[in-house]
Amino acid sequence: MTTSDLISIVIVNYNAGAWLPRCLDYIAQQTYPYWEVIIVDNASQDGSLALVENRDRVTIIRNRENRGFAAAQNQGIAIACGRYIMALNYDLIMVPDFLEELVRALDADAAAGWATGKLLNMALDGEKLNTIYAAGHVLAPDRFSFLRGNGESDRGQYDHPEVVFGAPGAAAMYKREMIDDVSLDGQFFDEHLFMWYEDVDVDWRATRAGWHCCYIPSAVAYHVGHIGEEYREPYKSWRATYGIRNRWLVMAANESFSSLQRNWRALFHYELSSLLFVFRSRLVRAYLQAVWGVMTSLCYLRSKRKAQTTAKGPLVSTPGVECVGREGGDRFC
């Protein structure tokens, strides 16, 4: 086995509880034998790391503070040894041939930079549901509805492999070559976003760079995601602020003017409905914080658009570490 065979699975942990060891159990059952796991912990306080400290083939990075999903993923990527890097959420379990199916698809297509499978929903009690979380990403006209098939019953309507706009970061496998090609200032995931929409930003950048994403329906996984999530304060406002802000930032960094012209009606209707939701849900303060977040990011946006234009040509329309160590066994490199 060489590093050209290896998958480096990067899991960001933040108070995952029993989900974290369960996720590792399902990784250990994969038919594809060449993998390592890198857990980047964002200052969890629930003792979840203690449940996995002695696992074989697991490396743990401990952060003193919550650095966000994007920065933590980048930390894992920086020390990963594999040709394939997989971003994986801890509340997701994969069928045994999930990794094997994705590797086979990426190996068969030189222009495929990343891949994803059919992600179905799973209840908090572990019950596997027959509704779709995502069958890849789609670039919807409103620039919000990215999860293809989300909420639909799985009737086989997404059972054929195809090229899609991108992959949800809950379970996306990236080629190392693509990561190196589209990273900006050493960042694959944009750390300015902290969390949410960082995977969509990668979709946009990679597509513009000439890569495409494979959707492989034979690779099946089950994801809890937002099922049962309680939107209470202060989390409710915090999530609204970052969700609204990051959607705008990703569009501002990646959209072309011609694309905005073509889709202005869908964008207008979404923004209007979003604003009505903000007022009904008493999230006006969060909305204003999102606006302020965009206004204070103008220098960042100019710099990012310039970096992308310099690297890949004009924007066009498209479809704190405490320790880094080895815990629980040797790595493959």
Side-chain angles (χ1 to χ4, degrees):
M1 192 278 299
T2 66
T3 55
S4 63
D5 302 310
L6 182 66
I7 301 171
S8 297
I9 302 171
V10 182
I11 300 173
V12 177
N13 182 51
Y14 182 66
N15 297 325
W19 286 108
L20 187 60
R22 183 182 304 185
C23 180
L24 296 186
D25 289 342
Y26 278 90
I27 293 173
Q29 296 172 23
Q30 289 293 298
T31 57
Y32 190 86
Y34 308 123
W35 51 265
E36 65 170 355
V37 173
I38 301 168
I39 297 173
V40 185
D41 183 71
N42 273 334
S44 296
Q45 302 295 319
D46 67 341
S48 51
L49 277 187
L51 302 175
V52 299
E53 282 180 338
N54 297 317
R55 295 287 185 122
D56 191 26
R57 297 156 71 174
V58 173
T59 298
I60 296 176
I61 298 176
R62 289 182 169 90
N63 289 328
R64 295 192 183 98
E65 61 183 7
N66 184 357
R67 297 191 60 194
F69 180 85
Q73 277 287 333
N74 288 340
Q75 285 179 275
I77 293 170
I79 68 166
C81 296
R83 181 191 174 194
Y84 310 99
I85 310 295
M86 184 166 191
L88 186 68
N89 283 10
Y90 55 74
D91 60 348
L92 184 144
I93 61 174
M94 303 175 287
V95 300
D97 61 349
F98 189 87
L99 298 181
E100 187 173 358
E101 290 291 319
L102 294 189
V103 169
R104 183 181 294 115
L106 291 176
D107 281 348
D109 187 347
W114 71 124
T116 187
K118 182 195 289 186
L119 308 186
L120 302 175
N121 286 312
M122 181 168 59
L124 287 171
D125 62 3
E127 179 188 0
K128 297 174 182 177
L129 307 176
N130 194 48
T131 56
I132 295 171
Y133 172 75
H137 273 170
V138 63
L139 187 60
D142 64 7
R143 302 308 192 247
F144 175 77
S145 307
F146 287 99
L147 298 176
R148 192 170 71 129
N150 181 254
E152 297 178 19
S153 295
D154 181 20
R155 305 182 305 276
Q157 66 271 42
Y158 300 108
D159 276 359
H160 51 286
E162 58 187 305
V163 171
V164 292
F165 175 64
M173 185 179 292
Y174 304 95
K175 280 182 180 174
R176 172 75 69 172
E177 303 97 296
M178 188 272 270
I179 291 176
D180 293 341
D181 185 38
V182 306
S183 293
L184 296 174
D185 296 325
Q187 295 182 15
F188 179 57
F189 291 111
D190 186 345
E191 297 179 14
H192 188 83
L193 300 175
F194 193 77
M195 66 182 299
W196 296 316
Y197 284 92
E198 70 288 317
D199 50 0
V200 177
D201 182 62
V202 165
D203 296 340
W204 232 313
R205 284 163 29 216
T207 300
R208 188 169 55 250
W211 298 93
H212 62 250
C213 179
C214 294
Y215 166 68
I216 309 300
S218 55
V220 178
Y222 294 86
H223 181 43
V224 173
H226 309 311
I227 290 179
E229 196 169 39
E230 295 186 24
Y231 293 94
R232 297 178 179 176
E233 297 294 358
Y235 175 71
K236 180 180 178 180
S237 292
W238 184 83
R239 174 164 184 157
T241 297
Y242 271 93
I244 295 168
R245 184 198 76 144
N246 287 358
R247 174 175 169 273
W248 287 338
L249 288 179
V250 169
M251 283 197 297
N254 294 285
E255 277 281 16
S256 66
F257 183 69
S258 60
S259 178
L260 289 173
Q261 284 183 307
R262 284 196 307 274
N263 294 291
W264 73 267
R265 288 184 177 84
L267 291 167
F268 174 78
H269 285 302
Y270 175 78
E271 294 300 338
L272 180 60
S273 63
S274 176
L275 197 57
L276 292 174
F277 172 80
V278 163
F279 280 106
R280 288 197 303 267
S281 304
R282 300 180 181 179
L283 291 170
V284 175
R285 182 182 178 88
Y287 188 88
L288 294 176
Q289 287 175 332
V291 173
W292 179 248
V294 173
M295 297 302 296
T296 55
S297 299
L298 294 181
C299 289
Y300 145 84
L301 287 171
R302 281 195 296 267
S303 175
K304 185 172 180 178
R305 286 185 72 96
K306 181 179 179 180
Q308 293 185 100
T309 301
T310 301
K312 299 299 173 186
L315 299 183
V316 296
S317 176
T318 61
V321 180
E322 180 179 311
C323 66
V324 178
R326 291 180 295 187
E327 301 192 27
D330 293 334
R331 298 177 64 211
F332 280 108
C333 55

